[in-house]
Amino acid sequence: MLDQKVIELLNDQINKELYSAYLYLDFSNYFYDEGLDGFGNWYKIQAQEERDHAMLILQYLQNNGIKAVLKTIDKPAAEISNQKSVLVAGLKHERFVTGLIHTIYDAAYSVKDFRTMQFLDWFVKEQGEEENNAETLLKKFQLFGDDPKSLYMLDSELGARTYSAPSLVL
């Protein structure tokens, strides 16, 4: 049986992951409107990943006999003033999500919920990758974003990204 606080945090995380997907769709739309389809593709895939993260948590709750509670997803609140502002907001958001995952892990640890901790191990690793990807993208943009040819090449690189669903065994 899962601890009530852990259940509440996992339910909240479902909402936060779906919000992340919504936020990244907003970023994707921005870049498509800017004519940077590769950046748009990169964030569209990010949105798919976040949706799948929510589904993994939902499935984990269901597998433990807990009914997931779905909540209203807020409208994306990021201020988009230029291309770089999107990338900065993306990195900031990933760091925020990492903090949320750590909070759930800490709550599970405090009640010796080893099953949930093991489940969350994948998310901890994933968040490290997510932060690194967002930081790398921002660094590349800062290096090449002012040069149209380099920006074109970076956009092309991002356009080649494909999606593969996570293979986490619940």
Side-chain angles (χ1 to χ4, degrees):
M1 180 127 190
L2 298 181
D3 176 76
Q4 188 59 39
K5 180 177 180 179
V6 172
I7 291 169
E8 289 171 12
L9 289 169
L10 288 168
N11 270 308
D12 287 343
Q13 192 62 31
I14 291 169
N15 180 266
K16 299 295 187 203
E17 297 291 342
L18 292 172
Y19 172 81
S20 296
Y22 206 42
L23 177 68
Y24 291 152
L25 280 177
D26 193 38
F27 291 174
S28 177
N29 283 336
Y30 170 80
F31 281 117
Y32 278 114
D33 286 346
E34 290 286 302
L36 292 168
D37 293 359
F39 282 83
N41 175 65
W42 197 86
Y43 276 108
K44 189 186 299 180
I45 289 172
Q46 284 300 110
Q48 290 174 311
E49 285 187 5
E50 303 305 336
R51 183 202 62 222
D52 281 353
H53 294 169
M55 296 303 291
L56 287 169
I57 297 168
L58 184 140
Q59 187 66 55
Y60 179 76
L61 288 174
Q62 291 173 340
N63 288 351
N64 284 279
I66 307 295
K67 181 180 179 185
V69 178
L70 302 179
K71 302 172 185 177
T72 301
I73 303 169
D74 292 332
K75 181 180 191 273
E79 286 288 325
I80 298 176
S81 56
N82 56 45
Q83 297 156 1
K84 183 180 175 183
S85 71
V86 175
L87 304 179
V88 169
L91 177 56
K92 180 179 175 184
H93 185 73
E94 286 301 338
R95 289 177 175 158
F96 170 73
V97 172
T98 297
L100 295 171
I101 296 296
H102 290 175
T103 297
I104 302 168
Y105 200 103
D106 186 55
Y109 178 79
S110 71
V111 295
K112 295 185 177 10
D113 181 353
F114 302 113
R115 186 180 336 150
T116 299
M117 290 165 53
Q118 183 179 22
F119 170 70
L120 292 172
D121 283 342
W122 181 87
F123 285 90
V124 171
K125 181 178 182 247
E126 175 70 7
Q127 279 310 120
E129 292 173 10
E130 296 286 4
E131 282 188 42
N132 184 53
N133 290 341
E135 191 171 340
T136 299
L137 180 56
L138 178 58
K139 284 179 182 177
K140 285 182 177 181
F141 183 83
Q142 288 171 327
L143 285 171
F144 308 126
D146 292 334
D147 176 50
K149 290 179 186 174
S150 296
L151 183 59
Y152 175 80
M153 290 176 66
L154 180 56
D155 189 59
S156 295
E157 176 186 321
L158 298 176
R161 183 180 186 201
T162 59
Y163 180 69
S164 59
S167 59
L168 178 63
V169 177
L170 302 175

